Amino acid sequence: MKKITLLAFLMLTILSCKNDKQEEKINSKTIGQLTISNEKPQPGEMLEITYKNDNVTDAFYNYMVGTKNYPVDIDYEASENEIKGAIKIPDSADAIALFFKVGEDYDNNDKAGYIMPLYNKEGNPIPGSNSAAAFYSVRNGSFYGIEADPVDVAKAIKTEMDSSADLKNKWETAYLNLAYKNNKAEGKTLIDNYLVELNEKASKSEEDYTNLMNFNNTIGETTKSDSLRALLIEKFPNGTTANLELAKQFNTETDLDKKIAIFETYMKRNPRMDNFSDGMASSLAYLYLEKDDLANFDKYSQMMVDKNRRAYGLNNLAWSYAEKGEQLDVAEKLSKESLSIIEALQKDPNGKPDYATQRNYEKGLESSYSMFADTYALIQFKQGNVKEAITYQEKAHDPKAQDAEANARYISYLMADEQYESVLDKAAKFIKLGNGNEDVKAAYKKAYLNVSPSAKDVNEKLAALEKEGYNKSVADIRSKMIDEAAPQFTLKDTKGKDIALNDLKGKIVILDFWATWCGPCKASFPGMQKVVTKYKDDENVTLLFVDTFESGANKEQLVEDFISENKYDFHIVYDIQPEGSTRFEVADKYEVTGIPTKIIIGPDGKIKFRSVGYNGSTDKLIDEMDIMIDILKS
């Protein structure tokens, strides 16, 4: 299929607008593998869809209202080689984007996606629809493999802005930010003109002052921006900027009593809990958690509107006690409450947040329940309640058995209950899946000899299972292999030396994007240290730990102190954050949106693997790194 760029599509819809009323004619339209029942879908319409692939594991759509977007599940039925479904487009929608997950990946339709404007009854795009579709593509598209040229997107928005004063008011700030990002000199001229107009307004709203402050900061006029911030706080003491300032003071304050005073000041201004106060209450709860002050932990965690966040705090405390084998009665109570919170959220039909589809929200709750049940099972086991531990570990168990440590706990409970046949069955499964660690393998041998005391072939049996597991892991990793251009960069390391990717061509290069505040990043580091140690003398392998998304004037000192305190032998390089920007250059180039993210570059200088997150298993992490390196060496 010939590829049509998003901008071309949007411009065609603009150029096709006519003032005369047209006779309504509904035709279906096919884009990539998707067919929609109306080539010009309208707000409020029920749109039928057919997608030519029956291996769909998830389907949803986002509807856009200006610069905001809201995800909704697509209910569908699969038949031979296709799925069918329908979506009800909300009356408030400006544009829509449909997504189909096939296997583990989203279909990006040759990187153009399935993003489309909406139309009125006359067949013309509704005002702002092209802007909403274009803006969504550049802001959110990369999450799903969609590519959009920000210059083209800015042009599409500008075309609509020029057609209507209402659209100019609605889209001007988004357009100016895009224009400045695309070309700082041209963007600054546009922003300067905007600031002149805004300053000339006789009566300014809080939003006007906020835009003046933000855009002065964008173009580097920090003194003006700071003065405007002070003015905003004075004029609107209960406004967003004043609240942000208190939240900032809270986050930078290190004295607990002073943090409490700031929180109380905020609550006097805003008696109803919001995102800021919820975050502050959570922070205070966790600070008391670290002090083992359960009374104050409970006091502040009870204030939190986000009950899921409270449940995580309870679980974390319960887990820490369980791991150490301390205060198990308290740990049991905390863990039980965390499970009760999730159960209550699962029964609440109106609890879904705006940023998630109902299905994904429910899956998230299931995942939380599994995690908390794992904690409760460990507590029960350490209290001597083995059968109860097995019951809850089975509730926690992932059918794909991806967590090697959880698998090992499950096996240890079965061993304690002398369920040797079950151990043989489940341990063999885990090992064949490549998710059995050394504890699982040792339990397999012991159970095998308990079932067959005179057997002589246990080592051969285990070796065969390990071989099958290794081959499966290799096949799984090979299936995720890609071949994409690796963007070039030059970054400073902790010694001030320039490290250029181009100088490393011919080597296998592992880029580990991380930050000091990132819990999963830090949890993965003991495993990554073993990888570094293993390959430190291999001239064909280089590991670079790219510190990114790090904030604060002393961020380099934070990094170096963290590495030194933990005695990690990592080659650290610092991502570049342009002055006045919240973005980071290399993370942007590599489309890193969450950390930890590992990018593995082959000797030919191309990206071969991309690994996001940390599954909690040191053994599995090392095995995966070894396999990827072996594949690229072969």
Side-chain angles (χ1 to χ4, degrees):
M1 174 183 163
K2 186 174 180 182
K3 180 177 176 182
I4 301 176
T5 66
L6 176 67
L7 178 65
F9 178 73
L10 296 177
M11 294 304 290
L12 282 170
T13 63
I14 293 169
L15 294 173
S16 69
C17 295
K18 295 180 180 179
N19 291 325
D20 57 307
K21 187 170 182 178
Q22 303 174 18
E23 182 181 348
E24 184 177 352
K25 183 178 180 181
I26 298 177
N27 294 312
S28 64
K29 181 174 184 175
T30 298
I31 315 164
Q33 297 186 79
L34 172 67
T35 298
I36 56 176
S37 57
N38 185 355
E39 64 178 338
K40 294 184 175 181
Q42 302 172 24
E45 177 185 5
M46 185 67 75
L47 187 69
E48 296 176 5
I49 62 170
T50 302
Y51 182 76
K52 292 292 184 180
N53 194 313
D54 60 358
N55 191 30
V56 172
T57 54
D58 190 26
F60 71 96
Y61 70 98
N62 265 299
Y63 69 92
M64 285 70 90
V65 181
T67 59
K68 297 181 179 179
N69 66 89
Y70 305 91
V72 183
D73 290 310
I74 297 175
D75 294 322
Y76 59 88
E77 292 184 357
S79 57
E80 189 175 352
N81 300 322
E82 67 181 23
I83 64 165
K84 288 182 177 291
I87 63 173
K88 176 68 163 62
I89 304 174
D91 293 336
S92 59
D94 291 325
I96 57 173
L98 289 82
F99 297 94
F100 303 92
K101 194 174 187 179
V102 180
E104 296 297 322
D105 301 309
Y106 285 97
D107 171 16
N108 60 34
N109 186 30
D110 197 20
K111 300 186 178 180
Y114 298 103
I115 305 173
M116 56 196 76
L118 298 177
Y119 299 79
N120 59 23
K121 291 180 179 178
E122 288 72 34
N124 298 321
I126 62 175
S129 186
N130 288 301
S131 296
F135 186 76
Y136 181 85
S137 71
V138 77
R139 187 171 68 173
N140 300 88
S142 62
F143 298 130
Y144 307 101
I146 297 167
E147 292 183 358
D149 186 337
V151 174
D152 288 347
V153 169
K155 288 178 182 177
I157 295 174
K158 181 68 162 57
T159 299
E160 285 203 320
M161 281 174 50
D162 289 346
S163 70
S164 161
D166 286 341
L167 288 178
K168 182 180 179 183
N169 290 334
K170 187 175 182 178
W171 282 97
E172 189 166 22
T173 57
Y175 168 71
L176 291 173
N177 279 311
L178 262 177
Y180 186 78
K181 184 176 179 182
N182 293 339
N183 185 307
K184 285 185 170 50
E186 292 178 7
K188 185 177 184 303
T189 299
L190 292 170
I191 289 173
D192 285 339
N193 293 335
Y194 170 77
L195 293 175
V196 168
E197 290 181 11
L198 204 50
N199 273 311
E200 289 175 351
K201 285 183 69 172
S203 177
K204 298 182 185 67
S205 66
E206 181 182 2
E207 183 181 3
D208 291 333
Y209 281 109
T210 300
N211 287 333
L212 282 168
M213 175 186 71
N214 289 338
F215 278 114
N216 270 292
N217 185 63
T218 296
I219 61 176
E221 296 286 350
T222 54
T223 302
K224 288 182 181 178
S225 180
D226 291 343
S227 296
L228 285 160
R229 179 177 287 104
L231 184 60
L232 257 167
I233 293 169
E234 179 186 333
K235 282 182 168 290
F236 306 96
N238 296 319
T240 301
T241 299
N243 287 339
L244 274 169
E245 188 65 24
L246 268 182
K248 181 180 176 182
Q249 290 174 19
F250 179 92
N251 290 332
T252 55
E253 182 56 66
T254 56
D255 183 88
L256 180 57
D257 290 336
K258 291 180 180 177
K259 287 177 88 74
I260 293 170
I262 294 169
F263 174 66
E264 290 174 350
T265 299
Y266 188 93
M267 290 302 297
K268 286 177 183 175
R269 291 185 185 177
N270 308 277
R272 294 184 63 182
M273 295 291 285
D274 58 21
N275 285 336
F276 293 132
S277 53
D278 210 41
M280 291 182 198
S282 173
S283 176
L284 291 172
Y286 274 86
L287 286 170
Y288 279 114
L289 183 63
E290 291 173 359
K291 296 175 177 291
D292 288 338
D293 185 336
L294 297 183
N296 276 308
F297 167 78
D298 194 59
K299 172 185 174 181
Y300 288 103
S301 64
Q302 287 282 9
M303 293 182 184
M304 292 155 54
V305 175
D306 186 344
K307 298 305 178 186
N308 203 0
R309 184 185 281 178
R310 170 172 163 78
Y312 267 86
L314 292 165
N315 176 72
N316 290 347
L317 181 55
W319 179 263
S320 68
Y321 287 149
E323 273 196 313
K324 293 180 286 190
E326 298 173 356
Q327 300 194 54
L328 292 177
D329 289 343
V330 174
E332 180 183 20
K333 180 183 175 183
L334 297 172
S335 181
K336 195 69 173 176
E337 186 181 348
S338 74
L339 289 168
S340 297
I341 290 172
I342 298 302
E343 287 170 343
L345 291 173
Q346 288 175 320
K347 293 174 184 175
D348 180 4
N350 302 312
K352 181 189 78 67
D354 286 341
Y355 58 77
T357 70
Q358 188 65 37
R359 267 199 301 265
N360 283 335
Y361 175 62
E362 290 171 2
K363 285 179 183 177
L365 291 177
E366 288 173 11
S367 177
S368 297
Y369 188 90
S370 295
M371 183 188 302
F372 303 165
D374 184 28
T375 300
Y376 192 73
L378 179 60
I379 294 165
Q380 292 300 312
F381 183 70
K382 291 202 172 184
Q383 289 178 316
N385 304 322
V386 176
K387 292 193 182 298
E388 188 77 350
I390 292 171
T391 296
Y392 273 87
Q393 196 62 43
E394 286 172 348
K395 291 182 179 183
H397 194 62
D398 169 18
K400 295 182 179 179
Q402 297 178 93
D403 186 338
E405 272 70 25
N407 294 341
R409 285 191 290 277
Y410 191 10
I411 293 296
S412 72
Y413 305 160
L414 293 172
M415 285 292 292
D417 204 37
E418 298 182 354
Q419 296 187 33
Y420 299 124
E421 292 284 1
S422 291
V423 169
L424 284 178
D425 176 56
K426 296 185 186 304
K429 174 188 172 184
F430 299 155
I431 298 166
K432 286 193 290 184
L433 288 171
N435 296 323
N437 62 15
E438 294 305 315
D439 290 338
V440 172
K441 294 170 187 177
Y444 176 86
K445 288 180 71 172
K446 186 174 180 180
Y448 192 91
L449 292 173
N450 269 283
V451 172
S452 306
S454 60
K456 304 294 184 185
D457 61 346
V458 62
N459 290 328
E460 289 80 2
K461 290 278 189 183
L462 181 57
L465 293 172
E466 289 176 321
K467 179 67 174 174
E468 188 173 344
Y470 177 80
N471 290 340
K472 184 182 184 305
S473 295
V474 171
D476 288 346
I477 289 172
R478 278 192 183 277
S479 71
K480 297 172 184 174
M481 196 169 180
I482 55 180
D483 190 48
E484 299 175 358
Q488 295 298 314
F489 62 79
T490 300
L491 297 176
K492 297 281 188 187
D493 67 10
T494 55
K495 296 178 181 177
K497 180 182 177 183
D498 284 337
I499 305 298
L501 180 63
N502 194 51
D503 294 339
L504 302 173
K505 193 165 184 181
K507 298 177 182 287
I508 296 166
V509 180
I510 299 171
L511 305 178
D512 192 341
F513 290 85
W514 72 288
T516 58
W517 51 262
C518 170
C521 301
K522 293 186 285 189
S524 73
F525 278 178
M528 288 306 296
Q529 179 59 63
K530 291 182 179 180
V531 176
V532 168
T533 301
K534 182 172 183 176
Y535 293 99
K536 68 178 180 179
D537 296 323
D538 190 331
E539 62 182 14
N540 297 310
V541 179
T542 295
L543 287 93
L544 295 176
F545 291 79
V546 185
D547 177 66
T548 191
F549 303 161
E550 199 82 63
S551 59
N554 64 334
K555 58 186 178 182
E556 292 186 4
Q557 192 62 50
L558 278 174
V559 169
E560 290 169 32
D561 288 347
F562 172 77
I563 296 299
S564 175
E565 287 166 9
N566 289 279
K567 298 181 172 57
Y568 290 135
D569 185 22
F570 295 168
H571 192 175
I572 303 290
V573 291
Y574 297 107
D575 201 352
I576 298 168
Q577 183 180 22
E579 187 176 351
S581 173
T582 59
R583 315 290 296 184
F584 289 80
E585 287 188 4
V586 179
D588 273 359
K589 285 181 179 180
Y590 282 86
E591 297 180 355
V592 173
T593 56
I595 51 177
T597 289
K598 294 171 182 61
I599 305 291
I600 294 84
I601 301 169
D604 62 353
K606 291 190 174 182
I607 299 171
K608 301 299 182 181
F609 300 103
R610 181 186 295 269
S611 175
V612 181
Y614 174 58
N615 65 13
S617 172
T618 294
D619 291 342
K620 192 165 181 64
L621 172 64
I622 296 168
D623 287 345
E624 288 175 349
M625 290 291 108
D626 284 343
I627 289 170
M628 286 188 278
I629 290 169
D630 287 345
I631 289 172
L632 295 178
K633 282 185 173 182
S634 62

